[in-house]
Amino acid sequence: MTYRLLPALALAFFGAAASAQSFDGASIVLEQQQYDDGGGFTVTSREIGADIAFAFNGGFGAQLGFAHSSETDSSDPSLDFESNNSYALHLFYDASDAVRLGVLAAADTFNDGDQFLGVEGVFLNDRVRAEARIGRFVSDVEPANLYELHGSYTLTDRVRLLGMLRRVDFDDSLGHYNLGSLGIGFGVTESAELYAIYARHENDFGPATGVYNGDVVSFGLRVTFGPQNDRMFTYTQFY
């Protein structure tokens, strides 16, 4: 199912880019995550992601994203390490200098191919940046609804506080997934930011299986190119 969507995403983006009026920004993110379930099991994973955006006439535009994540180490040496690719196309409209609204179509290689369709928005107000998203995972294995809110607050020219809330509700009473995170970002240059994030998550698989909690610590580097555009979306794959 994923592979039927990818050609359509690419054709839509490159067709739109051909008529673009201006380059709207680009970024690359490198990140390492350490998961700990609190009971002695740990997994280390690494991710690289890239986004590029173009603005069209009348406030419209498009953003294309790609990410690759791989599990690289674990406390369980027999674990079958997984990797995943994801692709995203955002079509957006700038309602003002402070508000960007968009629709998102995404696909990944998890579960032999899942898709995501959603709506999203970015709001800027002085030192505050907020990004919200709701949508639907279309999957033969784990269909679900997604709700998430990202936020940041600029303390100084170089330091930002970061936060996120995410909830995934699975179909057929299969439970839910909650995640909350807090972090800090430090701008080493005008275009490069180092960040560290602590997250706590809950997997509730229903009364038959129980609830699992764990911690995720992330360290990363985000580098931007071209315009310093805080309105670009920061969608990352859930799985």
Side-chain angles (χ1 to χ4, degrees):
M1 184 161 53
T2 297
Y3 304 103
R4 293 198 298 269
L5 178 61
L6 297 184
L9 290 178
L11 286 173
F13 176 78
F14 288 113
S19 61
Q21 300 301 305
S22 63
F23 174 53
D24 199 52
S27 66
I28 293 178
V29 176
L30 304 173
E31 182 173 291
Q32 177 167 302
Q33 299 179 349
Q34 178 80 19
Y35 167 77
D36 188 335
D37 73 348
F41 176 71
T42 62
V43 175
T44 300
S45 61
R46 293 174 182 168
E47 179 175 313
I48 180 170
D51 284 87
I52 186 169
F54 292 91
F56 311 145
N57 285 327
F60 292 93
Q63 177 180 331
L64 183 68
F66 167 77
H68 173 78
S69 64
S70 298
E71 295 174 349
T72 59
D73 194 15
S74 173
S75 59
D76 182 357
S78 65
L79 181 69
D80 185 13
F81 290 165
E82 300 286 343
S83 64
N84 184 28
N85 294 327
S86 70
Y87 314 83
L89 175 64
H90 312 256
L91 300 177
F92 60 80
Y93 171 70
D94 288 333
S96 71
D97 290 341
V99 177
R100 172 167 290 183
L101 305 175
V103 294
L104 167 62
D108 61 56
T109 56
F110 190 76
N111 284 333
D112 295 324
D114 290 337
Q115 299 177 17
F116 178 80
L117 299 173
V119 294
E120 56 193 355
V122 172
F123 172 74
L124 307 176
N125 182 18
D126 192 21
R127 296 176 179 267
V128 176
R129 181 188 186 277
E131 178 177 351
R133 182 174 294 106
I134 61 174
R136 175 74 177 169
F137 287 104
V138 182
S139 170
D140 294 332
V141 180
E142 292 180 321
N145 296 319
L146 171 73
Y147 313 89
E148 65 180 18
L149 176 66
H150 302 251
S152 69
Y153 181 81
T154 301
L155 290 175
T156 71
D157 290 343
R158 292 189 178 270
V159 180
R160 292 194 304 156
L161 296 180
L162 310 171
M164 184 181 73
L165 295 173
R166 172 181 285 163
R167 182 177 176 90
V168 179
D169 287 320
F170 297 99
D171 287 7
D172 302 321
S173 302
L174 294 179
H176 62 263
Y177 173 87
N178 291 330
L179 181 141
S181 71
L182 289 173
I184 190 166
F186 178 75
V188 292
T189 69
E190 288 187 359
S191 60
E193 179 185 56
L194 292 170
Y195 61 86
I197 297 173
Y198 167 77
R200 180 72 174 172
H201 79 80
E202 172 195 67
N203 273 323
D204 185 343
F205 296 108
T209 306
V211 179
Y212 295 85
N213 296 302
D215 300 320
V216 183
V217 177
S218 305
F219 299 95
L221 170 67
R222 179 185 301 275
V223 180
T224 58
F225 303 89
Q228 301 300 303
N229 188 354
D230 289 336
R231 290 182 296 186
M232 285 185 64
F233 295 108
T234 58
Y235 174 76
T236 58
Q237 60 195 22
F238 161 60
Y239 298 106

